[in-house]
Amino acid sequence: MLEYSPSVQQSNKDEDSARHNNIQYIFDTVIVFGQGPIKPILLPSELTLAQHKQWIAYNQDIVHNWEPDFYMIQQSKQMAILEQIDKRTDINDRTKEYLKITRRSEWQRTGWYALKKWGRQNALAAGFALYKGMTKEVILSGGRTIPKWVTEVVHPAILEDWPSEAELMQDIIVRQYAELYERKYHKNIEGAIKIEDASTNTIENFSYSINKVPTLTMAGARVGFITANYHLKRVKLLARLFSIQGALIEQYSAQEILKQQIHAKEVEIEVEAESDVREIDKNPQLDMIMKVENRWMEGLTNPEYITYWLGYLGDVNQPTVIQNALNLLKQPDWRKAAEKAFLQLGLRFMDYLNEDLSTLAKSNPDKYKNLIRGLKRLKAPEFRHTPPEL
């Protein structure tokens, strides 16, 4: 099991800085969600006619029109960079291609281009929370999500260097707040950022964040969450499922944080983000997003879909988190569903429900490993039962 204990020296530095700036942190850690998938950065010549029309419509009214699932490079400065590479006579075509791909990989790793607006706003809100001293640190959680269609149109070298949602959020935070944070706290903002980039969905956001910072599940933990407003309800439910129930647990809509920032006029944010924040309820994609969100909420609240989430417990390195989740399944309907799921794996639910899993992991590691292997198998398509699309 992973251990996490910040060095006394670093802890003292944090507290000294807080006292010097008259800061009383509300949270020890805030988890920030990526809201993927990541958008590919494309050139005008790579877009279909339908994509061209979508891009034009979106840029005519970015608040009320549908956000494309790609970003088109059209700035004259950037296009000129590629043209200058093509015009060079001192290098061969292979080197030109390498230089252009390298440049495009840099653009692909730019958060403002590659994140959807929900992810951008989460990052901006997280940066503001750090700047205002709401939290000592943030965990930026989100992996290298790539839509299937993107793999067919993006150069393999760019795909190999594909960024994570967490890295893109960090890019936005550093660009927007690094100088302000340095001026206020006299230290690098990246020191307050932890990257969790293995997760590809909200359930994994929790399991891998706990593995990254095991103290999240401590009784006295002060943990916050920043995510899109539509996502808050599911985040709260998953926090309970994954034993994040410390002395102080709060969740914040990124949009509400940014509205406070706009009102205070303390730190300016991009015009696009400000207009989106002010009229977020008019976003045309909300109806579709809420249908998807309701689908996943059904998966977490209906025993019929227990295998939608149960297998992800096997990713957590803390036996107590698994045990607490199993204890939540004692209600008759959930217990019946759990027993059925375990039988599919050749295991008996009751053999583990009545065990102290922390003790079992040491006294009978083979039995404990059988549980972990079984849970992970539940993530396979033949076992994982997800709610139907609404």
Side-chain angles (χ1 to χ4, degrees), residues 113-125:
Y113 300 157
L115 279 179
K116 295 190 297 185
K117 66 175 63 180
W118 304 98
R120 296 196 300 266
Q121 290 181 20
N122 287 357
L124 289 168

Side-chain angles (χ1 to χ4, degrees), residues 53 157 207 314:
K53 291 180 178 179
S207 55

Side-chain angles (χ1 to χ4, degrees), residues 187-198:
K187 58 183 179 179
N188 193 319
I189 197 170
E190 292 184 57
I193 296 174
K194 284 185 168 63
I195 296 292
E196 183 290 294
D197 57 6

Side-chain angles (χ1 to χ4, degrees), residues 70-314:
F70 61 89
Y71 183 92
M72 186 180 82
I73 288 292
Q74 58 184 357
Q75 293 88 340
S76 57
K77 180 179 179 181
Q78 292 167 323
M79 296 302 292
I81 290 173
L82 300 181
E83 291 172 3
Q84 289 169 6
I85 294 173
D86 273 329
K87 290 178 180 178
R88 289 182 61 174
T89 58
D90 59 324
I91 55 177
N92 58 30
D93 289 345
R94 184 175 180 180
T95 303
K96 290 179 182 179
E97 182 69 8
Y98 170 78
L99 291 175
K100 287 191 290 185
I101 288 174
T102 299
R103 183 65 69 171
R104 292 189 60 179
S105 287
E106 292 174 4
W107 296 337
Q108 185 63 64
R109 301 183 71 84
T110 301
W112 200 258
Y113 300 157
L115 279 179
K116 295 190 297 185
K117 66 175 63 180
W118 304 98
R120 296 196 300 266
Q121 290 181 20
N122 287 357
L124 289 168
F128 188 65
L130 284 172
Y131 171 70
K132 290 294 290 182
M134 289 176 60
T135 180
K136 293 180 183 178
E137 66 177 9
V138 296
I139 302 173
L140 306 181
S141 181
R144 294 171 173 82
T145 49
I146 308 178
K148 186 176 180 181
W149 70 271
V150 172
T151 62
E152 301 171 0
V153 300
V154 172
H155 195 283
I158 297 176
L159 292 175
E160 288 179 10
D161 194 37
W162 198 257
S164 68
E165 295 166 18
E167 291 168 327
L168 292 170
M169 287 192 290
Q170 178 173 257
D171 178 71
I172 287 177
I173 291 172
V174 170
R175 289 174 187 269
Q176 191 77 24
Y177 296 100
E179 186 177 339
L180 293 167
Y181 189 89
E182 173 75 29
R183 195 182 305 151
K184 184 174 183 178
Y185 297 103
H186 309 292
K187 58 183 179 179
N188 193 319
I189 197 170
E190 292 184 57
I193 296 174
K194 284 185 168 63
I195 296 292
E196 183 290 294
D197 57 6
S199 57
T200 58
N201 60 46
T202 303
I203 307 176
E204 289 182 338
N205 288 148
F206 277 89
S207 55
Y208 294 138
S209 291
I210 289 170
N211 290 346
K212 191 82 174 179
V213 183
T215 52
L216 290 171
T217 62
M218 289 179 59
R222 300 180 300 171
V223 183
F225 303 101
I226 291 178
T227 190
N229 53 7
Y230 67 82
H231 197 217
L232 291 173
K233 188 175 181 181
R234 182 153 57 110
V235 164
K236 184 177 181 180
L237 198 159
L238 282 167
R240 178 169 180 259
L241 183 63
F242 280 86
S243 299
I244 301 180
Q245 303 178 65
L248 178 64
I249 301 292
E250 294 287 349
Q251 52 187 0
Y252 292 89
S253 157
Q255 291 72 40
E256 288 305 314
I257 291 177
L258 293 178
K259 284 178 182 178
Q260 294 177 24
Q261 178 178 342
I262 292 168
H263 179 73
K265 298 181 180 180
E266 187 171 353
V267 180
E268 291 186 3
I269 60 175
E270 296 287 346
V271 173
E272 177 185 349
E274 182 171 336
S275 58
D276 278 342
V277 168
R278 290 187 184 279
E279 300 189 59
I280 196 67
D281 293 336
K282 298 179 182 178
N283 188 295
Q285 289 167 290
L286 271 178
D287 286 344
M288 184 202 72
I289 289 172
M290 286 309 303
K291 286 181 180 179
V292 175
E293 194 65 21
N294 290 336
R295 178 190 182 193
W296 302 136
M297 282 297 296
E298 176 74 3
L300 293 172
T301 56
N302 187 338
E304 180 182 350
Y305 304 112
I306 189 173
T307 55
Y308 156 64
W309 58 267
L310 185 61
Y312 289 92
L313 291 174

